[in-house]
Amino acid sequence: MRKVFAGLFSSLDSVVEAPNEWQPAFDEEMGAALSRMLDQQDAVLLGRVTFTEWAGYWPAATDDPFASWINSTPKYVASSTLDSVDRWANSTLIKGSVADFVEELRRQEGGTIGVAGSPSLVRSLVDLGLLDELTLMISPVVAGGGRKRLFADDAALTKFELVEAQPTSSGALIATYRPAR
């Protein structure tokens, strides 16, 4: 059975929204961790917000290695408001239950299914018991109020096990967790 992995940039106060606005550095170790994650993935789950932002940028950014990868990789978009995802090649809109779709995708042959950005989708997958691994690249910064955190203040108790932790040259911490089951 295929696994679903997510990787997110996070601040010390658990902000995951718009890391380009608060993340002080992107270091070599973060790049290597992202490369390892992408090397295992052959499908990507995206939420509506991430899809909309990325579909406006990555298809035209052809000189970037990530652009080449993301543009050619099958993308599955979870959205109850989008009518179409045709503007970005290799994109499919998930119709019906996201849980049923992800469960079916996990049963198919292939590599890891990644979740790119999309913190709301990551939260949903955790709640549904469908996320197998979560990597947080925690920057040594407090991003402050008015931004979305990974989990809401009223989130249910969910236990995770630490799989690996690596400090980086910029002072960040790359921490990988699996839900305790």
Side-chain angles (χ1 to χ4, degrees), residues 141-158:
V141 62
V142 173
R147 300 175 194 265
K148 290 185 182 174
R149 288 172 169 63
L150 181 52
F151 296 103
D153 289 341
D154 62 351
L157 175 66
T158 306

PDB file of all heavy atoms in Angstrom, residues 141-158:
ATOM      1  N   VAL A 141      11.916  31.185  14.217  1.00  0.00           N
ATOM      2  CA  VAL A 141      11.266  32.485  14.121  1.00  0.00           C
ATOM      3  C   VAL A 141       9.831  32.348  14.620  1.00  0.00           C
ATOM      4  O   VAL A 141       9.222  31.299  14.450  1.00  0.00           O
ATOM      5  CB  VAL A 141      11.283  33.007  12.657  1.00  0.00           C
ATOM      6  CG1 VAL A 141      10.519  32.094  11.730  1.00  0.00           C
ATOM      7  CG2 VAL A 141      10.769  34.421  12.550  1.00  0.00           C
ATOM      8  N   VAL A 142       9.328  33.381  15.248  1.00  0.00           N
ATOM      9  CA  VAL A 142       7.916  33.462  15.598  1.00  0.00           C
ATOM     10  C   VAL A 142       7.269  34.317  14.515  1.00  0.00           C
ATOM     11  O   VAL A 142       7.606  35.491  14.361  1.00  0.00           O
ATOM     12  CB  VAL A 142       7.707  34.070  17.001  1.00  0.00           C
ATOM     13  CG1 VAL A 142       6.229  34.307  17.273  1.00  0.00           C
ATOM     14  CG2 VAL A 142       8.317  33.163  18.062  1.00  0.00           C
ATOM     15  N   ALA A 143       6.379  33.715  13.743  1.00  0.00           N
ATOM     16  CA  ALA A 143       5.758  34.429  12.622  1.00  0.00           C
ATOM     17  C   ALA A 143       4.678  35.402  13.098  1.00  0.00           C
ATOM     18  O   ALA A 143       4.394  36.380  12.430  1.00  0.00           O
ATOM     19  CB  ALA A 143       5.177  33.438  11.625  1.00  0.00           C
ATOM     20  N   GLY A 144       4.082  35.117  14.223  1.00  0.00           N
ATOM     21  CA  GLY A 144       3.114  36.042  14.791  1.00  0.00           C
ATOM     22  C   GLY A 144       1.682  35.781  14.378  1.00  0.00           C
ATOM     23  O   GLY A 144       1.382  34.922  13.566  1.00  0.00           O
ATOM     24  N   GLY A 145       0.787  36.562  14.979  1.00  0.00           N
ATOM     25  CA  GLY A 145      -0.648  36.382  14.805  1.00  0.00           C
ATOM     26  C   GLY A 145      -1.144  36.754  13.423  1.00  0.00           C
ATOM     27  O   GLY A 145      -0.440  37.324  12.598  1.00  0.00           O
ATOM     28  N   GLY A 146      -2.387  36.394  13.188  1.00  0.00           N
ATOM     29  CA  GLY A 146      -3.032  36.704  11.920  1.00  0.00           C
ATOM     30  C   GLY A 146      -2.676  35.751  10.806  1.00  0.00           C
ATOM     31  O   GLY A 146      -3.027  35.981   9.656  1.00  0.00           O
ATOM     32  N   ARG A 147      -1.978  34.677  11.105  1.00  0.00           N
ATOM     33  CA  ARG A 147      -1.576  33.700  10.091  1.00  0.00           C
ATOM     34  C   ARG A 147      -2.091  32.324  10.508  1.00  0.00           C
ATOM     35  O   ARG A 147      -2.268  32.045  11.677  1.00  0.00           O
ATOM     36  CB  ARG A 147      -0.064  33.661   9.951  1.00  0.00           C
ATOM     37  CG  ARG A 147       0.536  34.981   9.537  1.00  0.00           C
ATOM     38  CD  ARG A 147       2.061  34.857   9.561  1.00  0.00           C
ATOM     39  NE  ARG A 147       2.701  36.128   9.499  1.00  0.00           N
ATOM     40  CZ  ARG A 147       3.134  36.702   8.384  1.00  0.00           C
ATOM     41  NH1 ARG A 147       2.967  36.110   7.227  1.00  0.00           N
ATOM     42  NH2 ARG A 147       3.744  37.869   8.431  1.00  0.00           N
ATOM     43  N   LYS A 148      -2.270  31.472   9.514  1.00  0.00           N
ATOM     44  CA  LYS A 148      -2.788  30.135   9.783  1.00  0.00           C
ATOM     45  C   LYS A 148      -1.705  29.236  10.382  1.00  0.00           C
ATOM     46  O   LYS A 148      -0.595  29.173   9.885  1.00  0.00           O
ATOM     47  CB  LYS A 148      -3.321  29.502   8.500  1.00  0.00           C
ATOM     48  CG  LYS A 148      -4.577  30.161   8.008  1.00  0.00           C
ATOM     49  CD  LYS A 148      -5.134  29.443   6.806  1.00  0.00           C
ATOM     50  CE  LYS A 148      -6.361  30.165   6.303  1.00  0.00           C
ATOM     51  NZ  LYS A 148      -6.862  29.591   5.075  1.00  0.00           N
ATOM     52  N   ARG A 149      -2.129  28.549  11.430  1.00  0.00           N
ATOM     53  CA  ARG A 149      -1.262  27.558  12.063  1.00  0.00           C
ATOM     54  C   ARG A 149      -1.643  26.180  11.525  1.00  0.00           C
ATOM     55  O   ARG A 149      -2.733  26.000  10.996  1.00  0.00           O
ATOM     56  CB  ARG A 149      -1.426  27.623  13.576  1.00  0.00           C
ATOM     57  CG  ARG A 149      -0.780  28.885  14.130  1.00  0.00           C
ATOM     58  CD  ARG A 149      -1.080  29.095  15.585  1.00  0.00           C
ATOM     59  NE  ARG A 149      -0.267  30.129  16.171  1.00  0.00           N
ATOM     60  CZ  ARG A 149      -0.286  31.416  15.821  1.00  0.00           C
ATOM     61  NH1 ARG A 149      -1.093  31.829  14.874  1.00  0.00           N
ATOM     62  NH2 ARG A 149       0.504  32.289  16.406  1.00  0.00           N
ATOM     63  N   LEU A 150      -0.746  25.238  11.720  1.00  0.00           N
ATOM     64  CA  LEU A 150      -1.011  23.905  11.197  1.00  0.00           C
ATOM     65  C   LEU A 150      -2.269  23.302  11.830  1.00  0.00           C
ATOM     66  O   LEU A 150      -3.121  22.767  11.135  1.00  0.00           O
ATOM     67  CB  LEU A 150       0.188  22.981  11.410  1.00  0.00           C
ATOM     68  CG  LEU A 150       0.035  21.563  10.889  1.00  0.00           C
ATOM     69  CD1 LEU A 150      -0.396  21.533   9.430  1.00  0.00           C
ATOM     70  CD2 LEU A 150       1.312  20.787  11.084  1.00  0.00           C
ATOM     71  N   PHE A 151      -2.396  23.409  13.139  1.00  0.00           N
ATOM     72  CA  PHE A 151      -3.561  22.851  13.812  1.00  0.00           C
ATOM     73  C   PHE A 151      -4.275  23.947  14.590  1.00  0.00           C
ATOM     74  O   PHE A 151      -3.642  24.802  15.194  1.00  0.00           O
ATOM     75  CB  PHE A 151      -3.160  21.709  14.747  1.00  0.00           C
ATOM     76  CG  PHE A 151      -2.567  20.539  14.013  1.00  0.00           C
ATOM     77  CD1 PHE A 151      -1.199  20.315  14.019  1.00  0.00           C
ATOM     78  CD2 PHE A 151      -3.371  19.678  13.283  1.00  0.00           C
ATOM     79  CE1 PHE A 151      -0.647  19.244  13.330  1.00  0.00           C
ATOM     80  CE2 PHE A 151      -2.834  18.613  12.589  1.00  0.00           C
ATOM     81  CZ  PHE A 151      -1.465  18.399  12.599  1.00  0.00           C
ATOM     82  N   ALA A 152      -5.593  23.888  14.587  1.00  0.00           N
ATOM     83  CA  ALA A 152      -6.416  24.874  15.288  1.00  0.00           C
ATOM     84  C   ALA A 152      -6.278  24.681  16.797  1.00  0.00           C
ATOM     85  O   ALA A 152      -5.916  23.601  17.280  1.00  0.00           O
ATOM     86  CB  ALA A 152      -7.876  24.724  14.868  1.00  0.00           C
ATOM     87  N   ASP A 153      -6.601  25.727  17.535  1.00  0.00           N
ATOM     88  CA  ASP A 153      -6.541  25.662  18.994  1.00  0.00           C
ATOM     89  C   ASP A 153      -7.438  24.570  19.563  1.00  0.00           C
ATOM     90  O   ASP A 153      -7.141  24.001  20.612  1.00  0.00           O
ATOM     91  CB  ASP A 153      -6.937  27.008  19.610  1.00  0.00           C
ATOM     92  CG  ASP A 153      -5.888  28.081  19.382  1.00  0.00           C
ATOM     93  OD1 ASP A 153      -4.725  27.742  19.073  1.00  0.00           O
ATOM     94  OD2 ASP A 153      -6.242  29.267  19.514  1.00  0.00           O
ATOM     95  N   ASP A 154      -8.522  24.261  18.873  1.00  0.00           N
ATOM     96  CA  ASP A 154      -9.456  23.252  19.369  1.00  0.00           C
ATOM     97  C   ASP A 154      -9.270  21.881  18.713  1.00  0.00           C
ATOM     98  O   ASP A 154     -10.164  21.032  18.765  1.00  0.00           O
ATOM     99  CB  ASP A 154     -10.897  23.730  19.201  1.00  0.00           C
ATOM    100  CG  ASP A 154     -11.275  23.955  17.734  1.00  0.00           C
ATOM    101  OD1 ASP A 154     -10.395  23.910  16.857  1.00  0.00           O
ATOM    102  OD2 ASP A 154     -12.475  24.175  17.476  1.00  0.00           O
ATOM    103  N   ALA A 155      -8.096  21.650  18.108  1.00  0.00           N
ATOM    104  CA  ALA A 155      -7.832  20.360  17.459  1.00  0.00           C
ATOM    105  C   ALA A 155      -7.872  19.230  18.489  1.00  0.00           C
ATOM    106  O   ALA A 155      -7.499  19.408  19.651  1.00  0.00           O
ATOM    107  CB  ALA A 155      -6.465  20.380  16.761  1.00  0.00           C
ATOM    108  N   ALA A 156      -8.321  18.075  18.040  1.00  0.00           N
ATOM    109  CA  ALA A 156      -8.371  16.894  18.906  1.00  0.00           C
ATOM    110  C   ALA A 156      -6.959  16.408  19.211  1.00  0.00           C
ATOM    111  O   ALA A 156      -6.028  16.592  18.411  1.00  0.00           O
ATOM    112  CB  ALA A 156      -9.155  15.782  18.210  1.00  0.00           C
ATOM    113  N   LEU A 157      -6.794  15.797  20.361  1.00  0.00           N
ATOM    114  CA  LEU A 157      -5.512  15.214  20.736  1.00  0.00           C
ATOM    115  C   LEU A 157      -5.127  14.150  19.706  1.00  0.00           C
ATOM    116  O   LEU A 157      -5.906  13.232  19.427  1.00  0.00           O
ATOM    117  CB  LEU A 157      -5.604  14.580  22.127  1.00  0.00           C
ATOM    118  CG  LEU A 157      -4.355  13.823  22.591  1.00  0.00           C
ATOM    119  CD1 LEU A 157      -3.188  14.794  22.781  1.00  0.00           C
ATOM    120  CD2 LEU A 157      -4.655  13.057  23.862  1.00  0.00           C
ATOM    121  N   THR A 158      -3.975  14.302  19.114  1.00  0.00           N
ATOM    122  CA  THR A 158      -3.443  13.340  18.143  1.00  0.00           C
ATOM    123  C   THR A 158      -1.976  13.136  18.470  1.00  0.00           C
ATOM    124  O   THR A 158      -1.214  14.101  18.505  1.00  0.00           O
ATOM    125  CB  THR A 158      -3.587  13.866  16.701  1.00  0.00           C
ATOM    126  OG1 THR A 158      -4.955  14.217  16.468  1.00  0.00           O
ATOM    127  CG2 THR A 158      -3.151  12.829  15.694  1.00  0.00           C
TER     128      THR A 158
END
